[in-house]
Amino acid sequence: MKKGTRPLPDRNAALKQYRGRAGVYDLELALFEPIRRRAVALLALQPGETVLDVGCGTGLSLPLLERGIGARGRIVGIEQSPEMIERARQRVRQRRWANVTLLCAPVESAEIALKADAALFHLTHDILQRPEAVANVLSHLKPGARVVASGIQWAEAWRWPVNLFVLPAALRSVTSLAGLSAPWAGLAEAMPDLQLKSMWMGGVFVASGTLPVRR
Ligand SMILES: C[S@@+](CC[C@H](N)C(=O)[O-])C[C@H]1O[C@@H](n2cnc3c(N)ncnc32)[C@H](O)[C@@H]1O
């Protein structure tokens, strides 16, 4: 491996991981709801805005995003796992949301047909580690758009007991542990104003920033 490069997440392993997990995912995630709420609140969505839900999974963030953008707004969810996105589709049908578009595609090659006001990366470590995926999302945001990313991270070494919880969570949800010390690093390169907060004794991060008006 060349210096400065690290292994990319494994797409086939991720598809397999979430094929097996889709049926129990929503139950498993109940504990993580406070982080989702904090992340979506930081997006500061306004009625009529458009938001990207990157790696939307089963659509657990959709109700909160809908509340923020209202009936005049739009949500585009991007998700590569057919089993996960099918559950998001069911959620959209049940709630009769006409303003949600779900794209079943890898984020790095998804054809996003608009420019959004905001983007959410919630629990999307594998996606944040793919520079081309981050670049595709950022290129479909308006200048000054808000971006929030949240998820697990390695706590500082002296808080090693926290990492005893981070490790199994990571093994269940990501395909590469690379980058887990600073999952937001790729976003920070594009957004100099990125602000970091930590939760759960340093085992969870919430990063928020805005895309520069001139890039
Ligand atoms: C831990 S889940 C998070 C789902 C959702 N964001 C949530 O908050 O519940 C991670 C999701 O990212 C998806 N994913 C991973 N890599 C991806 C990629 N390159 N493109 C699209 N989706 C991806 C997985 O299939 C999975 O549904």
Side-chain angles (χ1 to χ4, degrees), residues 153-169 202-203:
Q153 66 178 354
W154 291 134
E156 293 160 280
W158 66 272
R159 286 179 160 163
W160 60 266
V162 175
N163 290 332
L164 298 180
F165 292 91
V166 173
L167 180 61

Side-chain angles (χ1 to χ4, degrees), residues 50-54 65 75-76 78 112 114 116 118-120 137 140-141:
T50 298
V51 58
L52 305 181
D53 187 0
V54 182
L65 298 176
I75 302 172
V76 178
I78 310 157
I112 306 166
L114 44 72
L120 175 69
V137 171
H140 289 92
L141 293 178

Side-chain angles (χ1 to χ4, degrees), residues 18 25 36 55-57 79-81 84 106-108 122-123 127:
Y18 285 96
Y25 184 82
R36 184 187 310 281
C56 65
E79 168 58 50
Q80 70 179 7
S81 159
M84 294 290 275
V107 173
E108 47 276 29
H122 182 59
L123 303 175
I127 298 172

Side-chain angles (χ1 to χ4, degrees), residues 41-188:
L42 278 170
L43 277 177
L45 293 171
Q46 300 298 315
E49 286 191 326
T50 298
V51 58
L52 305 181
D53 187 0
V54 182
C56 65
T58 61
L60 282 174
S61 296
L62 294 177
L64 292 172
L65 298 176
E66 271 286 336
R67 205 172 299 158
I69 55 141
R72 287 186 298 109
R74 281 190 76 177
I75 302 172
V76 178
I78 310 157
E79 168 58 50
Q80 70 179 7
S81 159
E83 293 81 8
M84 294 290 275
I85 205 169
E86 181 48 33
R87 284 174 160 76
R89 288 199 181 108
Q90 283 169 15
R91 203 183 296 275
V92 170
R93 278 196 297 269
Q94 278 163 6
R95 309 280 184 109
R96 297 193 179 155
W97 288 321
N99 58 352
V100 180
T101 304
L102 295 174
L103 304 175
C104 187
V107 173
E108 47 276 29
S109 57
E111 292 183 16
I112 306 166
L114 44 72
K115 293 264 182 184
D117 301 285
L120 175 69
F121 296 76
H122 182 59
L123 303 175
T124 54
H125 182 75
D126 273 1
I127 298 172
L128 287 173
Q129 301 317 303
R130 284 190 177 275
E132 70 278 31
V134 173
N136 192 26
V137 171
L138 299 188
S139 71
H140 289 92
L141 293 178
K142 296 175 187 171
R146 288 102 58 205
V147 177
V148 174
S150 42
I152 52 173
Q153 66 178 354
W154 291 134
E156 293 160 280
W158 66 272
R159 286 179 160 163
W160 60 266
V162 175
N163 290 332
L164 298 180
F165 292 91
V166 173
L167 180 61
L171 293 176
R172 185 125 177 89
S173 55
V174 310
T175 63
S176 164
L177 299 181
L180 211 54
S181 301
W184 64 87
L187 284 180

